[in-house]
Amino acid sequence: MIRVLLAEDQAMVRGALASLLGLERDIVVVAEVGRGDEVVAAAATTRPDVALLDIEMPGMTGLDAAAALHAAMPACKVVILTTFGRPGYLRRAMEDGAAGFMLKDAPASELAAAIRRAVAGERIVDPGLAAAALSAGENPLTAREREVLAAARTKGTIAELAGTLHLSHGTVRNHLSTIMGKLGAGSRIEAIRVAEERGWL
């Protein structure tokens, strides 16, 4: 039997996925969690062969959970199952050791097949999304620039950003200027939008 961990914050979706996989003779769901920061602990207890992770979850994103799980249990195959088909997300998931990246609007029949393929050592990626990831290129933002831009989503002023990030006002302004230049954005709001659309934030 292929042992599967499900990580999905929407209980109804999580239940539907568990029911769907329960129909397969060779697949058993051994754990269900609704938060990203519960993934590694649940995997350590239940020892799944495959972890199906959503991206947007409380506590920790599915991408961060995938990286943590890959570091803690490299034998466990990670498949990202998401609504967000952003090229940057795909690239990051693959760099962090994910075996697959599927969109939730894919036919249900493909999910069990993807789990079996992951266990067999194959990579599972939607061809159109893979092409988009290649054309979008790599994330031009440094880790610090991503941190500044992420904080800018909720902090309005330079002073608030500086206080939150423990940086000087001038350093925050320099980072924002560099970020806007790299993304070809005319404002902080536009830079956030561009980075989110490409999965760089």
Side-chain angles (χ1 to χ4, degrees):
M1 294 290 282
I2 300 172
R3 299 168 61 81
V4 174
L5 177 151
L6 288 176
E8 161 66 56
D9 65 322
Q10 295 181 12
M12 189 176 292
V13 175
R14 190 169 66 246
L17 288 170
S19 297
L20 181 68
L21 294 174
L23 299 174
E24 303 295 327
R25 293 181 178 179
D26 59 339
I27 296 174
V28 60
V29 175
V30 296
E32 297 179 39
V33 299
R35 296 175 56 89
D37 53 6
E38 296 173 344
V39 169
V40 174
T45 303
T46 58
R47 313 304 292 182
D49 301 300
V50 177
L52 284 179
L53 309 182
D54 186 20
I55 288 181
E56 296 290 337
M57 291 188 287
M60 178 185 286
T61 70
L63 295 174
D64 290 334
L69 183 57
H70 185 67
M73 294 177 59
C76 180
K77 307 294 184 182
V78 173
V79 176
I80 301 293
L81 184 63
T82 183
T83 306
F84 304 100
R86 296 173 182 159
Y89 284 170
L90 168 60
R91 184 181 290 273
R92 185 170 158 205
M94 295 296 112
E95 288 172 353
D96 287 339
F101 194 101
M102 294 184 64
L103 299 180
K104 287 180 181 175
D105 62 0
S109 59
E110 290 184 12
L111 182 58
I115 289 171
R116 294 184 187 103
R117 288 173 60 196
V119 170
E122 295 181 42
R123 282 256 173 130
I124 307 99
V125 179
D126 176 83
L129 192 54
L134 288 173
S135 65
E138 293 192 24
N139 186 344
L141 304 178
T142 66
R144 175 58 95 177
E145 288 165 354
R146 288 196 302 274
E147 184 182 10
V148 170
L149 195 57
R153 289 190 288 200
T154 57
K155 305 299 178 189
T157 67
I158 296 293
E160 288 174 338
L161 276 170
T164 299
L165 299 169
H166 307 292
L167 298 172
S168 72
H169 293 198
T171 299
V172 169
R173 283 193 194 90
N174 288 342
H175 279 308
L176 289 173
S177 177
T178 300
I179 289 165
M180 289 187 293
K182 285 182 176 181
L183 300 184
S187 69
R188 196 188 325 181
I189 301 301
E190 186 182 356
I192 291 168
R193 180 186 59 76
V194 169
E196 287 180 339
E197 284 176 356
R198 296 181 187 175
W200 290 341
L201 190 58

